[in-house]
Amino acid sequence: MTRTRSRSALWGTVATGAVLALGLTACGGPSAPQPGDASGDASSSSSTIPDTSALLDAVQVDDALAAQVPADIKDKGTLVVGSNVQSAPNNFYAADGSTVIGSDHDLITAVGKKLGLDVEYQNQDFGSLITSLQSGRVDVTIAAMNDTAERQQAIDFVDYLTSGITLMVQKGNPDDITGPDTLCGKSIAVVTGTSQQEFAEATSTQCESDGEEALDITVTDSDSQNQTQLRTGRIDAIVNDLPSAVYISKTAQDGQAFEVVPGDVIDGAPYGIGVNKDDAALRDAIAAALDSLIDDGTYGEVLDAWGITSGSVTEATVNGGK
């Protein structure tokens, strides 16, 4: 049917089975409860968190790379990083509720160490990250943000991972959601300013064009809000990044709260470290530091610790998104 083909085209090109390939691996770390209330979202479950402290401690400054850092940042000795610290396993809080951990955190910390810089995190709404970068409030962003042609008009990206988005539903999939073709008339939640929101709005428009009911889209500021709504049945599905969805489905209520809808990921694209377009020197220094981490194996070890090796890249690419 024409309707089915048009909506199925919203699926990405990553092979079926990527969901299983992203199964989270424990890495000898302590078993630590996540912060949060007793609502049952991923942040309140207990899971094995990889202890990457020794891995990060082993990263040494590269004097040649450090020399590429712009003088104003080198002088203050700190790379100010804007992120949305509510998206496990990318960036989220440890059990103390204040320490930032996650795969993105580890990668940007390692990049900073290569460049001789400490890393200072600022937690922000996802939708404000680009403007914070443009205004100079932060030096870079890393928040599982897709590098897209549209975003490249505003900022530059250093691509560090390949991923896509997927659908997460209640355990047992009570609404029998099997893909974008089954979302018409359903209630779903997304985080504001994300590729997930764009996908949801495009899918809703397609549903209406096909004479079917539009999606009932809830837009929030955080994954945790969406998880609470899904767990309590106020929505039927969440559109989320694949690494986050897999992590949440494995950890929330010991894996009994949610599940990821099998199938190809949607809109597969690179994640990028965001840099102000006026800071080409910083952008290139970050790309060189990431390449160095790829070459010496640190990059692969970080991804392996967080169970996201299927999204690894072989080199840092500037503005590689389409």
Side-chain angles (χ1 to χ4, degrees):
M1 295 174 59
T2 301
R3 175 185 60 77
T4 301
R5 287 199 302 271
S6 63
R7 201 170 305 125
S8 292
L10 293 169
W11 281 106
T13 57
V14 179
T16 302
V19 170
L20 297 178
L22 275 170
L24 191 71
T25 56
C27 189
S31 179
Q34 297 303 290
D37 57 24
S39 62
D41 63 25
S43 64
S44 63
S45 63
S46 178
S47 61
T48 301
I49 303 299
D51 183 359
T52 56
S53 56
L55 175 60
L56 296 178
D57 287 343
V59 179
Q60 299 296 313
V61 61
D62 184 310
D63 292 335
L65 295 180
Q68 299 181 35
V69 177
D72 58 334
I73 295 177
K74 182 183 296 186
D75 289 345
K76 68 181 180 181
T78 302
L79 190 68
V80 181
V81 178
S83 188
N84 182 239
V85 191
Q86 303 184 54
S87 179
N90 309 305
N91 299 280
F92 61 114
Y93 288 113
D96 61 9
S98 60
T99 302
V100 182
I101 58 176
S103 55
D104 280 1
H105 167 270
D106 287 353
L107 286 175
I108 199 63
T109 298
V111 165
K113 289 175 73 70
K114 279 282 185 181
L115 298 177
L117 300 171
D118 293 328
V119 167
E120 175 188 312
Y121 255 69
Q122 288 192 11
N123 181 28
Q124 302 177 7
D125 291 340
F126 188 91
S128 69
L129 290 173
I130 288 179
T131 54
S132 290
L133 189 59
Q134 292 174 316
S135 67
R137 180 178 174 184
V138 300
D139 299 317
V140 300
T141 64
I142 186 166
M145 180 182 289
N146 285 130
D147 170 5
T148 66
E150 181 179 2
R151 287 174 175 153
Q152 287 169 22
Q153 301 303 307
I155 62 174
D156 284 338
F157 289 96
V158 177
D159 298 340
Y160 64 95
L161 195 73
T162 299
S163 186
I165 56 182
T166 193
L167 305 175
M168 189 171 73
V169 297
Q170 282 186 338
K171 194 74 170 180
N173 198 359
D175 295 291
D176 196 27
I177 294 172
T178 58
D181 290 329
T182 58
L183 287 178
C184 295
K186 296 293 195 299
S187 299
I188 67 171
V190 295
V191 173
T192 184
T194 61
S195 298
Q196 295 94 303
Q197 183 178 1
E198 294 176 5
F199 161 78
E201 291 170 351
T203 301
S204 186
T205 298
Q206 187 65 56
C207 287
E208 291 185 290
S209 296
D210 294 338
E212 299 192 43
E213 189 176 352
L215 277 63
D216 180 5
I217 304 171
T218 297
V219 181
T220 71
D221 292 329
S222 72
D223 284 337
S224 60
Q225 295 177 53
N226 296 345
Q227 292 164 40
T228 299
Q229 293 196 64
L230 181 59
R231 181 185 56 80
T232 56
R234 293 199 292 272
I235 59 172
D236 304 316
I238 294 172
V239 186
N240 206 338
D241 285 326
L242 181 60
S244 293
V246 171
Y247 183 90
I248 293 164
S249 68
K250 285 178 172 291
T251 57
Q253 296 183 340
D254 295 324
Q256 299 306 305
F258 311 117
E259 63 184 69
V260 176
V261 173
D264 295 348
V265 296
I266 303 163
D267 295 341
Y271 286 164
I273 299 168
V275 188
N276 194 303
K277 279 192 170 294
D278 294 333
D279 287 337
L282 177 60
R283 178 200 66 199
D284 294 344
I286 289 172
L290 183 58
D291 276 333
S292 179
L293 293 167
I294 292 171
D295 292 342
D296 69 21
T298 304
Y299 170 84
E301 290 182 73
V302 169
L303 298 195
D304 184 59
W306 291 101
I308 55 174
T309 53
S310 64
S312 63
V313 298
T314 58
E315 62 179 353
T317 302
V318 174
N319 294 333
K322 304 298 184 182

